[in-house]
Every structure is written in structure tokens, then in C-alpha cells.
Tab-separated table of all heavy atoms in Angstrom:
chain	number	residue	atom	x	y	z
A	654	LEU	N	-12.096	205.914	219.391
A	654	LEU	CA	-12.510	205.301	218.130
A	654	LEU	C	-11.373	204.507	217.480
A	654	LEU	O	-11.597	203.428	216.934
A	654	LEU	CB	-13.045	206.359	217.172
A	654	LEU	CG	-14.431	206.914	217.508
A	654	LEU	CD1	-14.795	208.055	216.573
A	654	LEU	CD2	-15.473	205.812	217.430
A	655	LEU	N	-10.156	205.039	217.543
A	655	LEU	CA	-9.010	204.310	217.000
A	655	LEU	C	-8.763	203.013	217.767
A	655	LEU	O	-8.479	201.972	217.165
A	655	LEU	CB	-7.749	205.180	217.034
A	655	LEU	CG	-7.644	206.235	215.944
A	655	LEU	CD1	-6.417	207.115	216.183
A	655	LEU	CD2	-7.572	205.593	214.575
A	656	THR	N	-8.884	203.066	219.078
A	656	THR	CA	-8.714	201.866	219.889
A	656	THR	C	-9.772	200.829	219.537
A	656	THR	O	-9.465	199.637	219.372
A	656	THR	CB	-8.791	202.219	221.389
A	656	THR	OG1	-7.785	203.176	221.694
A	656	THR	CG2	-8.604	200.986	222.249
A	657	LEU	N	-10.995	201.260	219.413
A	657	LEU	CA	-12.086	200.362	219.045
A	657	LEU	C	-11.881	199.783	217.646
A	657	LEU	O	-12.058	198.575	217.436
A	657	LEU	CB	-13.416	201.116	219.122
A	657	LEU	CG	-14.676	200.296	218.909
A	657	LEU	CD1	-14.803	199.230	219.984
A	657	LEU	CD2	-15.889	201.204	218.918
A	658	ALA	N	-11.473	200.603	216.699
A	658	ALA	CA	-11.256	200.134	215.330
A	658	ALA	C	-10.105	199.126	215.255
A	658	ALA	O	-10.220	198.098	214.577
A	658	ALA	CB	-10.972	201.321	214.414
A	659	LEU	N	-9.013	199.392	215.956
A	659	LEU	CA	-7.885	198.462	215.953
A	659	LEU	C	-8.240	197.149	216.641
A	659	LEU	O	-7.831	196.070	216.199
A	659	LEU	CB	-6.661	199.097	216.601
A	659	LEU	CG	-5.994	200.205	215.799
A	659	LEU	CD1	-4.860	200.837	216.603
A	659	LEU	CD2	-5.480	199.677	214.478
A	660	SER	N	-9.008	197.231	217.708
A	660	SER	CA	-9.453	196.019	218.395
A	660	SER	C	-10.336	195.176	217.485
A	660	SER	O	-10.186	193.959	217.395
A	660	SER	CB	-10.208	196.401	219.665
A	660	SER	OG	-10.729	195.260	220.282
A	661	TYR	N	-11.249	195.805	216.799
A	661	TYR	CA	-12.140	195.097	215.884
A	661	TYR	C	-11.349	194.502	214.713
A	661	TYR	O	-11.565	193.351	214.320
A	661	TYR	CB	-13.233	196.033	215.363
A	661	TYR	CG	-14.220	195.348	214.467
A	661	TYR	CD1	-15.191	194.503	214.994
A	661	TYR	CD2	-14.189	195.532	213.086
A	661	TYR	CE1	-16.101	193.858	214.179
A	661	TYR	CE2	-15.094	194.887	212.256
A	661	TYR	CZ	-16.049	194.056	212.802
A	661	TYR	OH	-16.936	193.417	211.992
A	662	ALA	N	-10.395	195.263	214.169
A	662	ALA	CA	-9.577	194.771	213.059
A	662	ALA	C	-8.746	193.569	213.491
A	662	ALA	O	-8.616	192.593	212.755
A	662	ALA	CB	-8.677	195.882	212.530
A	663	SER	N	-8.216	193.613	214.695
A	663	SER	CA	-7.437	192.498	215.226
A	663	SER	C	-8.307	191.263	215.399
A	663	SER	O	-7.866	190.139	215.147
A	663	SER	CB	-6.812	192.887	216.565
A	663	SER	OG	-6.176	191.790	217.151
A	664	PHE	N	-9.555	191.459	215.796
A	664	PHE	CA	-10.481	190.350	215.996
A	664	PHE	C	-10.892	189.727	214.665
A	664	PHE	O	-10.965	188.508	214.536
A	664	PHE	CB	-11.721	190.846	216.758
A	664	PHE	CG	-12.793	189.826	216.902
A	664	PHE	CD1	-12.635	188.751	217.753
A	664	PHE	CD2	-13.975	189.939	216.181
A	664	PHE	CE1	-13.622	187.797	217.884
A	664	PHE	CE2	-14.971	188.995	216.304
A	664	PHE	CZ	-14.802	187.919	217.158
A	665	ARG	N	-11.159	190.548	213.675
A	665	ARG	CA	-11.687	190.065	212.401
A	665	ARG	C	-10.618	189.591	211.416
A	665	ARG	O	-10.867	188.681	210.645
A	665	ARG	CB	-12.516	191.160	211.729
A	665	ARG	CG	-13.740	191.570	212.499
A	665	ARG	CD	-14.758	190.498	212.561
A	665	ARG	NE	-15.382	190.341	211.250
A	665	ARG	CZ	-16.203	189.381	210.943
A	665	ARG	NH1	-16.531	188.484	211.826
A	665	ARG	NH2	-16.716	189.316	209.742
A	666	VAL	N	-9.439	190.211	211.411
A	666	VAL	CA	-8.403	189.903	210.425
A	666	VAL	C	-7.233	189.223	211.138
A	666	VAL	O	-6.441	189.875	211.816
A	666	VAL	CB	-7.933	191.178	209.690
A	666	VAL	CG1	-6.901	190.840	208.626
A	666	VAL	CG2	-9.118	191.920	209.089
A	667	ARG	N	-7.158	187.917	210.961
A	667	ARG	CA	-6.151	187.116	211.669
A	667	ARG	C	-4.718	187.546	211.329
A	667	ARG	O	-3.835	187.520	212.185
A	667	ARG	CB	-6.345	185.657	211.320
A	667	ARG	CG	-5.407	184.730	212.029
A	667	ARG	CD	-5.749	183.305	211.734
A	667	ARG	NE	-6.973	182.965	212.428
A	667	ARG	CZ	-7.066	182.035	213.355
A	667	ARG	NH1	-6.016	181.327	213.650
A	667	ARG	NH2	-8.197	181.802	213.967
A	668	ARG	N	-4.466	187.957	210.109
A	668	ARG	CA	-3.108	188.335	209.701
A	668	ARG	C	-2.622	189.611	210.384
A	668	ARG	O	-1.420	189.858	210.453
A	668	ARG	CB	-3.051	188.521	208.194
A	668	ARG	CG	-3.170	187.229	207.444
A	668	ARG	CD	-3.010	187.450	205.978
A	668	ARG	NE	-3.182	186.200	205.258
A	668	ARG	CZ	-3.134	186.089	203.968
A	668	ARG	NH1	-2.908	187.157	203.223
A	668	ARG	NH2	-3.301	184.928	203.391
A	669	LEU	N	-3.515	190.427	210.877
A	669	LEU	CA	-3.119	191.665	211.552
A	669	LEU	C	-2.728	191.439	213.017
A	669	LEU	O	-2.069	192.285	213.609
A	669	LEU	CB	-4.260	192.688	211.501
A	669	LEU	CG	-4.504	193.381	210.176
A	669	LEU	CD1	-5.688	194.337	210.297
A	669	LEU	CD2	-3.278	194.132	209.716
A	670	ARG	N	-3.146	190.332	213.610
A	670	ARG	CA	-2.899	190.107	215.041
A	670	ARG	C	-1.435	190.197	215.442
A	670	ARG	O	-1.098	190.893	216.400
A	670	ARG	CB	-3.491	188.773	215.476
A	670	ARG	CG	-4.967	188.822	215.597
A	670	ARG	CD	-5.541	187.525	216.091
A	670	ARG	NE	-6.960	187.498	215.761
A	670	ARG	CZ	-7.689	186.425	215.674
A	670	ARG	NH1	-7.136	185.256	215.901
A	670	ARG	NH2	-8.947	186.487	215.367
A	671	PRO	N	-0.521	189.502	214.749
A	671	PRO	CA	0.891	189.633	215.165
A	671	PRO	C	1.413	191.059	215.062
A	671	PRO	O	2.220	191.493	215.876
A	671	PRO	CB	1.643	188.704	214.203
A	671	PRO	CG	0.629	187.773	213.679
A	671	PRO	CD	-0.671	188.517	213.689
A	672	LEU	N	0.928	191.797	214.075
A	672	LEU	CA	1.367	193.179	213.900
A	672	LEU	C	0.829	194.086	214.999
A	672	LEU	O	1.547	194.925	215.546
A	672	LEU	CB	0.913	193.699	212.532
A	672	LEU	CG	1.318	195.120	212.178
A	672	LEU	CD1	2.831	195.202	212.047
A	672	LEU	CD2	0.646	195.552	210.894
A	673	LEU	N	-0.434	193.891	215.370
A	673	LEU	CA	-1.069	194.759	216.360
A	673	LEU	C	-0.793	194.323	217.797
A	673	LEU	O	-0.654	195.160	218.684
A	673	LEU	CB	-2.582	194.806	216.122
A	673	LEU	CG	-3.039	195.436	214.804
A	673	LEU	CD1	-4.538	195.295	214.648
A	673	LEU	CD2	-2.612	196.879	214.726
A	674	GLU	N	-0.738	193.021	218.037
A	674	GLU	CA	-0.605	192.520	219.406
A	674	GLU	C	0.776	191.990	219.733
A	674	GLU	O	1.136	191.836	220.889
A	674	GLU	CB	-1.636	191.421	219.644
A	674	GLU	CG	-3.064	191.919	219.537
A	674	GLU	CD	-4.076	190.802	219.652
A	674	GLU	OE1	-3.676	189.655	219.961
A	674	GLU	OE2	-5.266	191.069	219.441
A	675	GLY	N	1.554	191.655	218.722
A	675	GLY	CA	2.872	191.091	218.949
A	675	GLY	C	2.812	189.577	219.035
A	675	GLY	O	1.744	188.972	218.963
A	676	THR	N	3.968	188.944	219.173
A	676	THR	CA	4.054	187.495	219.308
A	676	THR	C	4.868	187.161	220.546
A	676	THR	O	5.745	187.934	220.944
A	676	THR	CB	4.728	186.865	218.072
A	676	THR	OG1	6.002	187.468	217.887
A	676	THR	CG2	3.894	187.064	216.813
A	677	PRO	N	4.601	186.018	221.158
A	677	PRO	CA	5.406	185.610	222.310
A	677	PRO	C	6.868	185.414	221.906
A	677	PRO	O	7.170	185.058	220.766
A	677	PRO	CB	4.774	184.282	222.732
A	677	PRO	CG	3.415	184.285	222.137
A	677	PRO	CD	3.514	185.087	220.880
A	678	LEU	N	7.766	185.663	222.842
A	678	LEU	CA	9.196	185.565	222.576
A	678	LEU	C	9.834	184.642	223.610
A	678	LEU	O	9.638	184.815	224.819
A	678	LEU	CB	9.841	186.959	222.655
A	678	LEU	CG	11.317	187.043	222.383
A	678	LEU	CD1	11.623	186.694	220.926
A	678	LEU	CD2	11.825	188.438	222.699
A	679	VAL	N	10.605	183.660	223.139
A	679	VAL	CA	11.271	182.715	224.033
A	679	VAL	C	12.512	183.384	224.633
A	679	VAL	O	13.364	183.888	223.906
A	679	VAL	CB	11.651	181.425	223.271
A	679	VAL	CG1	12.411	180.475	224.186
A	679	VAL	CG2	10.417	180.756	222.705
A	680	LEU	N	12.582	183.381	225.966
A	680	LEU	CA	13.739	183.947	226.669
A	680	LEU	C	14.665	182.861	227.193
A	680	LEU	O	15.871	183.072	227.313
A	680	LEU	CB	13.269	184.823	227.833
A	680	LEU	CG	12.376	186.011	227.474
A	680	LEU	CD1	11.929	186.725	228.732
A	680	LEU	CD2	13.085	186.956	226.526
A	681	ILE	N	14.088	181.705	227.535
A	681	ILE	CA	14.863	180.563	228.018
A	681	ILE	C	14.432	179.364	227.198
A	681	ILE	O	13.242	179.068	227.101
A	681	ILE	CB	14.614	180.296	229.516
A	681	ILE	CG1	14.953	181.521	230.349
A	681	ILE	CG2	15.414	179.083	229.984
A	681	ILE	CD1	14.555	181.405	231.803
A	682	ASP	N	15.389	178.682	226.599
A	682	ASP	CA	15.092	177.502	225.787
A	682	ASP	C	15.956	176.347	226.272
A	682	ASP	O	17.183	176.439	226.243
A	682	ASP	CB	15.358	177.794	224.311
A	682	ASP	CG	14.981	176.648	223.407
A	682	ASP	OD1	14.170	175.796	223.816
A	682	ASP	OD2	15.489	176.597	222.274
A	683	ALA	N	15.302	175.272	226.715
A	683	ALA	CA	15.999	174.084	227.221
A	683	ALA	C	16.988	174.445	228.323
A	683	ALA	O	18.085	173.902	228.391
A	683	ALA	CB	16.692	173.344	226.086
A	684	GLY	N	16.609	175.387	229.163
A	684	GLY	CA	17.439	175.777	230.287
A	684	GLY	C	18.516	176.804	229.964
A	684	GLY	O	19.221	177.253	230.852
A	685	ARG	N	18.660	177.186	228.704
A	685	ARG	CA	19.671	178.174	228.313
A	685	ARG	C	19.008	179.535	228.111
A	685	ARG	O	18.011	179.651	227.403
A	685	ARG	CB	20.366	177.744	227.026
A	685	ARG	CG	21.293	176.563	227.200
A	685	ARG	CD	22.034	176.278	225.918
A	685	ARG	NE	21.094	175.900	224.865
A	685	ARG	CZ	20.826	174.659	224.501
A	685	ARG	NH1	21.429	173.667	225.101
A	685	ARG	NH2	19.962	174.419	223.529
A	686	VAL	N	19.599	180.549	228.716
A	686	VAL	CA	19.090	181.914	228.566
A	686	VAL	C	19.511	182.441	227.203
A	686	VAL	O	20.687	182.368	226.830
A	686	VAL	CB	19.632	182.830	229.690
A	686	VAL	CG1	19.182	184.259	229.482
A	686	VAL	CG2	19.194	182.320	231.051
A	687	LEU	N	18.546	182.956	226.449
A	687	LEU	CA	18.819	183.517	225.135
A	687	LEU	C	19.103	185.014	225.304
A	687	LEU	O	18.202	185.842	225.318
A	687	LEU	CB	17.634	183.275	224.190
A	687	LEU	CG	17.234	181.807	224.030
A	687	LEU	CD1	16.009	181.679	223.159
A	687	LEU	CD2	18.387	181.000	223.472
A	688	THR	N	20.373	185.340	225.436
A	688	THR	CA	20.767	186.710	225.765
A	688	THR	C	20.391	187.703	224.671
A	688	THR	O	20.096	188.854	224.962
A	688	THR	CB	22.275	186.801	226.041
A	688	THR	OG1	22.989	186.268	224.930
A	688	THR	CG2	22.635	186.028	227.295
A	689	GLU	N	20.371	187.261	223.420
A	689	GLU	CA	19.983	188.172	222.332
A	689	GLU	C	18.527	188.612	222.493
A	689	GLU	O	18.200	189.781	222.290
A	689	GLU	CB	20.185	187.492	220.974
A	689	GLU	CG	19.851	188.377	219.796
A	689	GLU	CD	20.699	189.642	219.742
A	689	GLU	OE1	21.887	189.599	220.129
A	689	GLU	OE2	20.161	190.687	219.320
A	690	ASN	N	17.651	187.684	222.880
A	690	ASN	CA	16.242	188.040	223.090
A	690	ASN	C	16.074	188.923	224.326
A	690	ASN	O	15.241	189.820	224.341
A	690	ASN	CB	15.378	186.792	223.189
A	690	ASN	CG	15.237	186.082	221.861
A	690	ASN	OD1	15.618	186.612	220.831
A	690	ASN	ND2	14.700	184.883	221.890
A	691	LEU	N	16.875	188.668	225.368
A	691	LEU	CA	16.837	189.534	226.548
A	691	LEU	C	17.263	190.943	226.171
A	691	LEU	O	16.626	191.921	226.582
A	691	LEU	CB	17.761	189.003	227.647
A	691	LEU	CG	17.311	187.791	228.423
A	691	LEU	CD1	18.382	187.406	229.442
A	691	LEU	CD2	15.998	188.029	229.111
A	692	ARG	N	18.326	191.044	225.390
A	692	ARG	CA	18.843	192.348	224.987
A	692	ARG	C	17.802	193.093	224.132
A	692	ARG	O	17.585	194.284	224.307
A	692	ARG	CB	20.139	192.166	224.204
A	692	ARG	CG	20.899	193.439	223.988
A	692	ARG	CD	22.256	193.217	223.327
A	692	ARG	NE	23.072	192.277	224.077
A	692	ARG	CZ	23.551	191.121	223.574
A	692	ARG	NH1	23.295	190.780	222.337
A	692	ARG	NH2	24.286	190.336	224.317
A	693	ARG	N	17.151	192.365	223.225
A	693	ARG	CA	16.157	192.988	222.347
A	693	ARG	C	14.986	193.555	223.144
A	693	ARG	O	14.453	194.605	222.820
A	693	ARG	CB	15.632	191.960	221.349
A	693	ARG	CG	14.675	192.561	220.353
A	693	ARG	CD	14.134	191.564	219.356
A	693	ARG	NE	15.063	190.508	219.037
A	693	ARG	CZ	14.690	189.292	218.627
A	693	ARG	NH1	13.420	189.004	218.515
A	693	ARG	NH2	15.586	188.378	218.347
A	694	GLU	N	14.605	192.871	224.216
A	694	GLU	CA	13.485	193.328	225.044
A	694	GLU	C	13.928	194.172	226.236
A	694	GLU	O	13.111	194.554	227.069
A	694	GLU	CB	12.679	192.125	225.542
A	694	GLU	CG	11.985	191.369	224.430
A	694	GLU	CD	10.971	192.213	223.696
A	694	GLU	OE1	10.277	193.025	224.343
A	694	GLU	OE2	10.867	192.065	222.460
A	695	ARG	N	15.228	194.419	226.338
A	695	ARG	CA	15.805	195.238	227.409
A	695	ARG	C	15.473	194.677	228.797
A	695	ARG	O	15.046	195.401	229.704
A	695	ARG	CB	15.347	196.687	227.294
A	695	ARG	CG	15.861	197.371	226.051
A	695	ARG	CD	15.385	198.808	225.974
A	695	ARG	NE	15.811	199.426	224.745
A	695	ARG	CZ	15.066	199.490	223.648
A	695	ARG	NH1	13.866	198.961	223.642
A	695	ARG	NH2	15.515	200.071	222.572
A	696	ILE	N	15.683	193.380	228.942
A	696	ILE	CA	15.488	192.698	230.216
A	696	ILE	C	16.862	192.258	230.702
A	696	ILE	O	17.614	191.619	229.957
A	696	ILE	CB	14.558	191.474	230.064
A	696	ILE	CG1	13.189	191.909	229.557
A	696	ILE	CG2	14.435	190.716	231.375
A	696	ILE	CD1	12.272	190.762	229.199
A	697	THR	N	17.186	192.563	231.944
A	697	THR	CA	18.471	192.140	232.488
A	697	THR	C	18.342	190.724	233.045
A	697	THR	O	17.254	190.240	233.340
A	697	THR	CB	18.942	193.080	233.610
A	697	THR	OG1	18.036	192.989	234.709
A	697	THR	CG2	19.042	194.516	233.114
A	698	LEU	N	19.483	190.074	233.198
A	698	LEU	CA	19.503	188.734	233.766
A	698	LEU	C	18.979	188.750	235.203
A	698	LEU	O	18.279	187.830	235.624
A	698	LEU	CB	20.922	188.167	233.713
A	698	LEU	CG	21.084	186.712	234.135
A	698	LEU	CD1	20.227	185.797	233.272
A	698	LEU	CD2	22.537	186.305	234.057
């Protein structure tokens, strides 16, 4: 029921989507590796 309720809330309330689903994160920008973003997501080079 919680999964269903959160899914429905995410569908109906646009402002909740980033909180519930997250946002995309840039790891490489213009050919440069963004090490701070890698570190935050615990991804090694």
C-alpha cells in the first residue's frame, strides 16, 4: 500500500517527483570527469 501510495503521489504531484525519484546527475561534462559527483555517488573512476 505504501508503494502504491507513493507511486500515485509521484504521478499526481509534480513537485514530489525529485524527492521521491531523484534527479539525473552529470558525471562527465564537456569531456571532464566531475570527481565530486563521482565521490557523492560512490562511483570509482
Side-chain angles (χ1 to χ4, degrees):
L654 286 174
L655 282 174
T656 302
L657 186 62
L659 289 175
S660 175
Y661 183 75
S663 174
F664 174 72
R665 297 293 288 172
V666 182
R667 182 174 288 242
R668 290 184 182 178
L669 285 179
R670 285 183 199 159
L672 181 65
L673 295 175
E674 297 175 8
T676 56
L678 181 66
V679 177
L680 300 177
I681 302 172
D682 184 21
R685 289 185 297 262
V686 176
L687 304 176
T688 55
E689 182 60 34
N690 289 349
L691 285 179
R692 192 174 304 121
R693 184 180 328 153
E694 294 298 322
R695 294 180 184 95
I696 300 172
T697 65
L698 186 58

